[in-house]
Amino acid sequence: DTAVSQTPKYLVTQMGNDKSIKCEQNLGHDTMYWYKQDSKKFLKIMFSYNNKELIINETVPNRFSPKSPDKAHLNLHINSLELGDSAVYFCASSQDQTDTQYFGPGTRLTVL
Amino acid sequence: SQQGEEDPQALSIQEGENATMNCSYKTSINNLQWYRQNSGRGLVHLILIRSNEREKHSGRLRVTLDTSKKSSSLLITASRAADTASYFCATGGGGGNKLTFGTGTQLKVEL
């Protein structure tokens, strides 16, 4: 059973489109995250939710909007996609905010 | 800016040799964690060491933490080709309630 799952695994789209990435965890964790990993493998946190409440919102364009319908799901919606949004996006979860994190397999987003 | 920086950025060794990676950080921490990332995959947690611990072992992994120097090292003994991956340190508790990842070390173990 996959602990943290993301869909889709690959996403290729045109500039200006709106897209969503979904994440689900079955670990019973309270906290979920979205990270962006660029081509140099630099991993940067974007958002963190604890029990459906936003607790971390790093300097991310407001074209990115996370949504947590329940504590097992954290989706990421991106409006008006730009070339610079191309990256691998990872979802993760943990019980506490500085505890061990469990990562999903990643979604490779390519904006053309 | 990044909390953790790893050194070296890339390391290439022969199978059977030991691999040592270092991580330096800037602020006080509650814990420091090491993760592995295989190409095209998500990060996998390897080991967590708390700020009041100095050394921890897990199988072929040995992690040390020196809070006075704000540094940690990860030693992989008797490396195998399957250890080829990127290794990241992450600090918890410094700069807010989140993990901050380092820049990573790319390890290549050749047969």
Side-chain angles (χ1 to χ4, degrees), chain A residues 46-97:
Chain A
M46 301 172 70
F47 300 103
S48 174
Y49 269 72
N50 182 267
N51 274 318
K52 303 194 298 174
E53 283 191 33
L54 181 67
I55 54 170
I56 293 175
N57 183 351
E58 295 291 297
T59 308
V60 177
N62 57 15
R63 297 182 295 105
F64 290 79
S65 53
K67 283 188 172 49
S68 183
D70 55 63
K71 77 172 194 177
H73 295 84
L74 181 62
N75 304 323
L76 183 65
H77 189 75
I78 316 170
N79 289 328
S80 304
L81 279 156
E82 300 177 357
L83 293 176
D85 297 333
S86 294
V88 182
Y89 292 83
F90 287 100
C91 176
S93 74
S94 67
Q95 188 53 45
D96 296 311
Q97 291 160 53

Side-chain angles (χ1 to χ4, degrees), chain A:
Chain A
D1 289 340
T2 304
V4 182
S5 59
Q6 292 178 231
T7 54
K9 189 169 173 59
Y10 299 97
L11 185 54
V12 181
T13 188
Q14 298 288 328
M15 253 191 334
N17 284 349
D18 303 338
K19 290 293 178 188
S20 291
I21 308 172
K22 295 186 177 182
C23 177
E24 176 181 2
Q25 55 96 1
N26 62 8
L27 297 166
H29 287 161
D30 289 337
T31 309
M32 295 185 72
Y33 313 82
W34 277 109
Y35 288 89
K36 179 181 180 181
Q37 187 174 45
D38 62 23
S39 58
K40 294 183 179 178
K41 294 207 168 184
F42 184 81
L43 193 68
K44 185 179 169 72
I45 190 167
M46 301 172 70
F47 300 103
S48 174
Y49 269 72
N50 182 267
N51 274 318
K52 303 194 298 174
E53 283 191 33
L54 181 67
I55 54 170
I56 293 175
N57 183 351
E58 295 291 297
T59 308
V60 177
N62 57 15
R63 297 182 295 105
F64 290 79
S65 53
K67 283 188 172 49
S68 183
D70 55 63
K71 77 172 194 177
H73 295 84
L74 181 62
N75 304 323
L76 183 65
H77 189 75
I78 316 170
N79 289 328
S80 304
L81 279 156
E82 300 177 357
L83 293 176
D85 297 333
S86 294
V88 182
Y89 292 83
F90 287 100
C91 176
S93 74
S94 67
Q95 188 53 45
D96 296 311
Q97 291 160 53
T98 59
D99 206 348
T100 299
Q101 293 189 12
Y102 295 81
F103 281 77
T107 296
R108 182 174 293 276
L109 171 66
T110 303
V111 182
L112 302 174

